[in-house]
Amino acid sequence: MITLKQLRYLTTLAEHRHFGRAADACAVTQPALSMQIRGLEKDLGVMLVERRHGDVTLTETGLELARRGRTVLVAAHDLVDFARLRSRPLNGGLTIGIIPTLAPYVLPKVLPALQRQYPDLRVELRETQTKTLVHELMRGSLDVLMLALPILEVETATVALFEDPFLLAVPKDDRRPEGTIVSADDIDLARLILLEEGHCLRDQALAFCAGDRRDKSFGLGATSLATVLQMVANGYGITLLPEVAVDVEARGERVKLLRFAPPTPSRTIGLAWRPTSPRKCDFVALAQIVVDALGARGETFHDQRLVLRRAPRQRRRNSP
């Protein structure tokens, strides 16, 4: 009988395509990982890995076993969660993935509230871009995500937390007075500063600001809102700033904030998790803590329905 350890080692090797990096990811030595893979090949009577100097290639059987193995590992993870939940909600461990345009502004309010209400909960955080978070959620590395909805690539269960309106941040010497109402047509795309490729906030800003002009080339993007606001404050351009970040990034008189005419551009912030996860009650409790901790920024979500979003069906390439 193959073991979950063997499956984890194989799926990690399939991801990294290198014995050394896979061993580091599994926190074991390279010989130990290699021995487990060879044992798996012996138990199954098939070759799973083609070993060449400095390179690893999985056979067709190895790739298919790794794909199915990921499903088994996620199911085993959910099974353990199911057993732990029989005691009480939000105990043990919880791994939360969060996008960088939320983490510095939401977590300082949410984490203390979470610790006060659930002192036995052990929280682990992963801050990175949406694409990576979704990938790690579906492979079982993360329990729940806090990010901008919707997620279209995969099937997830979600709950909306609050709407996060955008404001136009301009240098403080801009001729328009604070609070001026502006529209997308008032945005000079030549001066628009964006986050780098991969940030969903960049795509949302382009969708509103550029419209039919999205084919226009934009300069290199910054890696954080803090950097973008520094550039705006020093007169290098303008940007769209989520309201959730205003208290941190626009404090003092560094920049001037202008509001948009209705319908105001915004992003929907919510939680997302695997539909197979048994921890729905945990995520509902977490959602309420987030809304309560942010106070007036969000509406209570008690009356909102949990939504199962299905990814659009895509045709497989090279399917038999």
Side-chain angles (χ1 to χ4, degrees), residues 88-320:
R88 61 186 186 280
L90 284 178
N91 73 95
L94 182 69
T95 56
I96 304 173
I98 186 169
I99 54 177
T101 55
L102 276 179
Y105 321 115
V106 171
L107 293 181
K109 299 178 180 179
V110 170
L111 291 182
L114 196 59
Q115 187 176 40
R116 284 194 302 270
Q117 296 189 45
Y118 299 96
D120 295 332
L121 179 66
R122 185 182 69 258
V123 174
E124 296 182 11
L125 293 171
R126 171 81 160 117
E127 179 186 344
T128 189
Q129 295 179 2
T130 298
K131 183 177 180 180
T132 301
L133 291 179
V134 172
H135 172 72
E136 294 182 3
L137 174 72
M138 301 314 293
R139 60 178 283 197
S141 301
L142 298 172
D143 295 319
V144 62
L145 308 181
M146 189 184 305
L147 72 181
L149 301 177
I151 300 172
L152 299 177
E153 295 81 4
V154 297
E155 183 178 289
T156 56
T158 64
V159 62
L161 300 174
F162 60 92
E163 286 296 314
D164 189 17
F166 294 142
L167 297 93
L168 183 64
V170 300
K172 60 183 179 182
D173 60 357
D174 188 277
R175 58 180 177 78
R176 292 166 290 191
E178 185 96 25
T180 297
I181 304 300
V182 295
S183 68
D185 294 335
D186 297 321
I187 297 175
D188 182 359
L189 295 186
R191 302 187 63 221
L192 185 61
I193 304 174
L194 300 170
L195 291 171
E196 64 181 356
E197 292 282 354
H199 287 275
C200 58
L201 184 58
R202 176 189 176 94
D203 297 332
Q204 293 155 356
L206 282 176
F208 174 73
C209 299
D212 295 336
R213 302 173 290 173
R214 292 192 68 172
D215 57 347
K216 176 181 175 62
S217 61
F218 292 87
L220 294 176
T223 59
S224 70
L225 279 176
T227 302
V228 171
L229 266 294
Q230 284 288 348
M231 297 179 70
V232 173
N234 286 278
Y236 290 105
I238 60 177
T239 194
L240 259 66
L241 181 67
E243 190 175 61
V244 74
V246 166
D247 291 345
V248 174
E249 303 299 350
R251 59 182 179 271
E253 298 182 355
R254 299 172 54 209
V255 298
K256 189 181 296 184
L257 298 178
L258 311 180
R259 294 196 173 273
F260 287 101
T264 304
S266 66
R267 58 179 181 171
T268 301
I269 302 303
L271 299 181
W273 59 91
R274 295 183 303 280
T276 57
S277 174
R279 304 186 66 175
K280 174 181 171 181
C281 61
D282 277 355
F283 306 141
V284 170
L286 174 62
Q288 192 60 60
I289 287 175
V290 173
V291 170
D292 291 344
L294 297 182
R297 291 202 183 280
E299 300 177 359
T300 181
F301 81 106
H302 281 309
D303 297 329
Q304 296 184 24
R305 288 190 306 112
L306 298 182
V307 178
L308 177 64
R309 299 190 182 275
R310 297 187 180 275
R313 190 177 298 274
Q314 298 179 351
R315 182 179 300 174
R316 287 188 177 182
R317 296 182 179 178
N318 301 325
S319 57

Side-chain angles (χ1 to χ4, degrees), residues 8-9 11-31 33 54-57 139:
R8 184 165 69 91
Y9 289 177
T11 57
T12 306
L13 184 62
E15 181 178 355
H16 292 277
R17 303 299 175 96
H18 188 277
F19 274 101
R21 290 192 293 271
D24 289 341
C26 293
V28 298
T29 64
Q30 184 172 331
L33 183 138
D55 187 27
V56 171
T57 301
R139 60 178 283 197

